[in-house]
Amino acid sequence: MVKGKKEWQKPGFKLFLMTVPLLVMVFLFSYMPLAGWIYAFYDYRAGMKLANCDFVGLKHFISIFNSPVKLHSILRVMKNTLGISMLNIIASPLPMVVAILLNELRSVRYRKTVQTLTTLPHFISWVLVYSVAFSMFSTDGLVNQVLMGLGLTEKGVNFLADPNHTWLKMWGWNMWKVLGWDAIMYLAAIGSVDREQVEAAQIDGAGRWKVIWHVEVPALLPTFFVLLLMSISNIINCGMEQFYVFSNAMNKSSIEVLDLYVYNQGLGSNQIPYATAVGMLKSVISVTLLAMANGMSKTLRGESIF
Amino acid sequence: MSGKLKGKKKRKPITLTDVILYLVFAVFALICVFPFYYIFINTISDNQLVGRGQISVLPRGIHFNNYVEVMKQRGLGQAAFISVARTVVGTTLTILGSMFLGYAMSRPEYWRHKLWYRYIIVTMYFNAGIIPWFLTMKNLGLTNNFGAYVIPGIVAPFYMILYKTYVESIPASLEESAQLDGAGYLSRFFRIIFPLSKPMFATIAVFTAVGQWNSFNDTLFLIKDSKLFTLQYILYQYLHEAERLAERMRSGQAAMIAERGSTLTSTAIRMTTTIIVVFPVMCVYPFFQKYFTKGIMIGAVKG
């Protein structure tokens, strides 16, 4: 610290002043919504002023557990959320497998082409994924045409309106969207595997699979564990857009995940305080899970995720 | 990877495993790309044949009339304009805001550096939830106007970290000479640092642009005025109309609707809009792949 100069005369303070508008924006869009949690404690209705609403304390929190209807829907929604997240967690080694196999392709050009083509779904929105799904799997989509052409079905089946296997379908669409992209992360990690180790193993007579199993997989495991911990801590955060876009009257009960439920209750049925209360519990649980995941990473690997 | 390795691999004989690998990845790539091809050939084929489900591998009766007709649909041209505008304006603002903040945060002399850095980073790990966010946006007057699309994203903490890390890798001596000449922070940023950070600029620009183009939730939550609807939102509406229509057709209530199919069917509108929405993304993303990889690698390290 240079003595003699006042704090506000230092260049660092000028720099700070230049960024004040940006810091204010962070406050407005990230910190201010926290103040919105207050709505969970009032009998607020859209269009009213908060000052004119009754303070009701924990009423909306208690109602989650006291009202059988609400408890029932919360349990259903939690089942959907955890079910879909679990499917994604179970499939989390897949990108690593894809990356290892991609690395085994001899032609670099072929590998790059595959990489480019398979990352395309990652860059399109869920609305577009739904449009693709519609063109393929709706009553007069391609799949039904093929099935009818083969004489397997007589009438088209609308797979999208069908309430069965919703979790699996949602998992499948998510895989289609992210698999190619997630593999890139591991591919970059394979690139940094120690070449000398691979060559030493080959000289010792290790074949392709042995090299993969004894050299590459161990090198990728740290990346895998970090990503696994992240997805476990995000288990109740499976997003809303995908499920909103794919939902319809038929599959509503099995597709409604926590975020979609909060949206439907808050903006669909206009129960803002109740939806805020549910969302608040969700935020607290996910921050706790994140902290736990970080703590686990610290004890297991000696370094934190963040 | 290394050229030495490539040379070695080439001399090995091709085994059955290699053949299987090539086939598996060909199928994987096909699954990812074929649906887009299928939709595309349906938009340029004879609408009558499309209606009867006879186009599946090759286009027949090629015409581009659907594209002309769809752009004449009410609201679609306007939606295209809004989508392009939010992508251009939003991306510019995010680049300026997040990159300048990243630059500022890379300077250790920043006033109370540690405190403010944490103040920004922490926001990545908590989330008040969608309802409080919606109420905040409403209280700030960011509903039913264009600002709702472009203002909230100006400071993106993740891009800020990416850029800060990048700027830290630029030798400090480059900036010091300009500093001795008396150049202030702004002119040093725009004249020295910014031109040196093209790869990171490209990464952030494409990520943001694709994000803006694809954004759907903000229209759903914040916009009621149909003049401000984006292409994504309009496409969603078409899809759900089409779904309802299909249900009614199945129950035989709306046989006549299928009849007007000679000019522009709902299928044609839906598919053509889909291609229009996919097209810009498809053009942009392959060229930036090396930047993307670089970007996520830095992200993975700093995460």
Side-chain angles (χ1 to χ4, degrees):
Chain A
M1 287 277 162
V2 189
K3 290 259 167 167
K5 251 191 174 180
K6 295 244 167 61
E7 190 94 328
W8 49 271
Q9 285 172 321
K10 286 181 190 158
F13 192 73
K14 267 188 204 153
L15 187 60
F16 162 73
L17 283 182
M18 280 185 227
T19 60
V20 162
L22 297 169
L23 297 174
V24 169
M25 275 187 196
V26 173
F27 179 77
L28 290 181
F29 297 116
S30 297
Y31 288 91
M32 267 243 298
L34 287 177
W37 280 2
I38 202 167
Y39 287 90
F41 303 96
Y42 285 84
D43 259 341
Y44 173 80
R45 273 174 196 287
M48 283 171 79
K49 275 206 166 129
L50 194 63
N52 301 334
C53 300
D54 292 333
F55 180 80
V56 291
L58 294 173
K59 179 182 142 189
H60 297 292
F61 292 90
I62 293 165
S63 83
I64 300 173
F65 305 101
N66 268 355
S67 142
V69 184
K70 278 178 180 161
L71 187 63
H72 184 257
S73 41
I74 283 278
L75 288 177
R76 174 178 57 83
V77 163
M78 281 311 288
K79 210 173 91 186
N80 291 337
T81 311
L82 296 177
I84 291 168
S85 291
M86 275 315 287
L87 283 177
N88 283 326
I89 288 173
I90 291 168
S92 56
L94 264 180
M96 186 163 81
V97 173
V98 169
I100 288 173
L101 295 180
L102 257 178
N103 195 48
E104 289 299 311
L105 287 176
R106 287 148 167 266
S107 153
V108 175
R109 216 159 147 207
Y110 189 75
R111 189 177 72 212
K112 290 245 156 92
T113 313
V114 169
Q115 243 176 289
T116 306
L117 295 179
T118 54
T119 47
L120 173 62
H122 177 261
F123 292 98
I124 65 171
S125 63
W126 278 111
V127 176
L128 282 167
V129 175
Y130 182 66
S131 180
V132 165
F134 198 91
S135 303
M136 293 286 133
F137 294 100
S138 69
T139 321
D140 46 15
L142 182 66
V143 171
N144 272 311
Q145 284 167 28
V146 171
L147 288 180
M148 280 191 284
L150 293 172
L152 290 173
T153 49
E154 265 179 37
K155 243 176 118 192
V157 186
N158 187 352
F159 295 101
L160 298 170
D162 176 47
N164 298 318
H165 313 299
T166 309
W167 296 358
L168 264 179
K169 285 180 208 159
M170 288 304 109
W171 169 79
W173 284 114
N174 190 50
M175 270 294 123
W176 182 73
K177 197 170 188 295
V178 303
L179 187 54
W181 173 256
D182 285 356
I184 288 189
M185 190 101 73
Y186 288 106
L187 214 54
I190 295 178
S192 57
V193 168
D194 192 355
R195 279 294 126 203
E196 274 178 31
Q197 263 192 13
V198 175
E199 273 156 34
Q202 279 166 343
I203 289 165
D204 288 346
R208 172 187 263 171
W209 303 113
K210 281 215 162 134
V211 171
I212 288 176
W213 186 247
H214 293 290
V215 182
E216 288 182 359
V217 171
L220 294 181
L221 277 182
T223 313
F224 175 71
F225 276 124
V226 170
L227 294 177
L228 184 68
L229 273 178
M230 295 279 269
S231 50
I232 292 174
S233 65
N234 270 321
I235 197 160
I236 59 170
N237 270 331
C238 54
M240 152 178 170
E241 204 171 316
Q242 178 188 3
F243 308 100
Y244 178 83
V245 166
F246 272 87
S247 73
N248 54 43
M250 307 291 286
N251 64 15
K252 193 179 176 235
S253 69
S254 50
I255 207 170
E256 203 174 29
V257 294
L258 202 49
D259 281 321
L260 185 56
Y261 177 72
V262 170
Y263 171 82
N264 286 339
Q265 293 296 312
L267 300 180
S269 325
N270 210 356
Q271 299 195 46
I272 286 177
Y274 170 67
T276 310
V278 175
M280 213 171 134
L281 288 180
K282 195 203 119 179
S283 299
V284 171
I285 293 172
S286 44
V287 166
T288 315
L289 284 174
L290 205 63
M292 274 163 59
N294 202 28
M296 249 171 69
S297 166
K298 261 185 195 158
T299 36
L300 288 177
R301 304 171 45 238
E303 55 182 292
S304 66
I305 303 177
F306 313 112
Chain B
M1 310 295 135
S2 74
K4 200 177 81 190
L5 195 80
K6 227 167 76 184
K8 242 183 206 170
K9 272 196 172 174
K10 273 213 175 112
R11 263 177 265 126
K12 276 195 230 149
I14 292 174
T15 60
L16 183 65
T17 323
D18 288 316
V19 177
I20 294 173
L21 276 179
Y22 271 77
L23 286 177
V24 166
F25 279 109
V27 171
F28 180 26
L30 200 67
I31 292 173
C32 289
V33 177
F34 180 76
F36 299 102
Y37 170 75
Y38 171 75
I39 296 174
F40 177 66
I41 59 170
N42 271 279
T43 63
I44 58 167
S45 296
D46 189 322
N47 286 350
Q48 297 272 325
L49 293 173
V50 173
R52 271 182 259 135
Q54 290 179 341
I55 308 296
S56 45
V57 182
L58 287 171
R60 274 158 63 194
I62 294 177
H63 69 108
F64 293 93
N65 204 26
N66 283 338
Y67 287 87
V68 180
E69 290 291 325
V70 156
M71 284 320 277
K72 283 189 211 150
Q73 285 280 308
R74 214 159 52 89
L76 218 124
Q78 172 72 11
F81 171 72
I82 294 288
S83 282
V84 170
R86 72 170 292 176
T87 305
V88 172
V89 177
T91 307
T92 312
L93 288 179
T94 304
I95 284 172
L96 288 177
S98 300
M99 282 172 81
F100 184 70
L101 197 57
Y103 163 74
M105 285 293 160
S106 74
R107 305 292 99 172
E109 74 266 23
Y110 190 93
W111 185 67
R112 301 275 158 91
H113 181 272
K114 212 170 175 181
L115 171 82
W116 291 114
Y117 189 61
R118 284 198 182 150
Y119 162 84
I120 300 164
I121 297 308
V122 160
T123 62
M124 296 207 300
Y125 302 114
F126 70 84
N127 190 331
I130 48 184
I131 305 291
W133 173 78
F134 165 75
L135 294 169
T136 307
M137 292 294 280
K138 214 171 130 188
N139 291 338
L140 291 171
L142 288 174
T143 47
N144 264 331
N145 56 50
F146 188 73
Y149 287 143
V150 295
I151 295 174
I154 291 178
V155 178
F158 182 67
Y159 300 148
M160 189 217 74
I161 301 181
L162 281 188
Y163 195 64
K164 173 183 173 274
T165 316
Y166 189 85
V167 172
E168 279 165 353
S169 73
I170 297 174
S173 54
L174 288 170
E175 213 187 321
E176 274 161 13
S177 58
Q179 196 176 354
L180 291 177
D181 290 344
Y185 284 110
L186 273 180
S187 86
R188 270 184 272 159
F189 173 65
F190 281 109
R191 279 199 266 137
I192 296 164
I193 301 298
F194 200 71
L196 282 172
S197 42
K198 270 186 203 137
M200 199 35 77
F201 169 79
T203 308
I204 296 175
V206 173
F207 268 123
T208 317
V210 171
Q212 281 282 355
W213 182 259
N214 281 341
S215 184
F216 169 77
N217 274 356
D218 49 9
T219 318
L220 175 71
F221 278 91
L222 305 170
I223 308 294
K224 291 266 171 339
D225 181 357
S226 62
K227 281 200 197 78
L228 288 167
F229 284 168
T230 56
L231 277 179
Q232 303 281 347
Y233 197 76
I234 296 262
L235 177 62
Y236 173 78
Q237 287 184 326
Y238 284 156
L239 283 164
H240 273 255
E241 256 167 52
E243 194 174 54
R244 260 176 270 137
L245 197 71
E247 281 305 307
R248 270 190 285 155
M249 295 244 289
R250 212 154 56 132
S251 52
Q253 285 169 14
M256 302 110 69
I257 299 174
E259 286 303 308
R260 64 158 206 207
S262 54
T263 51
L264 199 60
T265 59
S266 68
T267 311
I269 300 181
R270 171 169 57 79
M271 287 185 162
T272 310
T273 314
T274 303
I275 295 300
I276 292 174
V277 180
V278 169
F279 186 71
V281 177
M282 249 182 186
C283 292
V284 168
Y285 93 94
F287 298 105
F288 286 88
Q289 205 162 33
K290 60 174 182 172
Y291 293 138
F292 282 144
T293 318
K294 215 178 267 172
I296 55 170
M297 273 316 283
I298 297 170
V301 172
K302 282 305 252 187

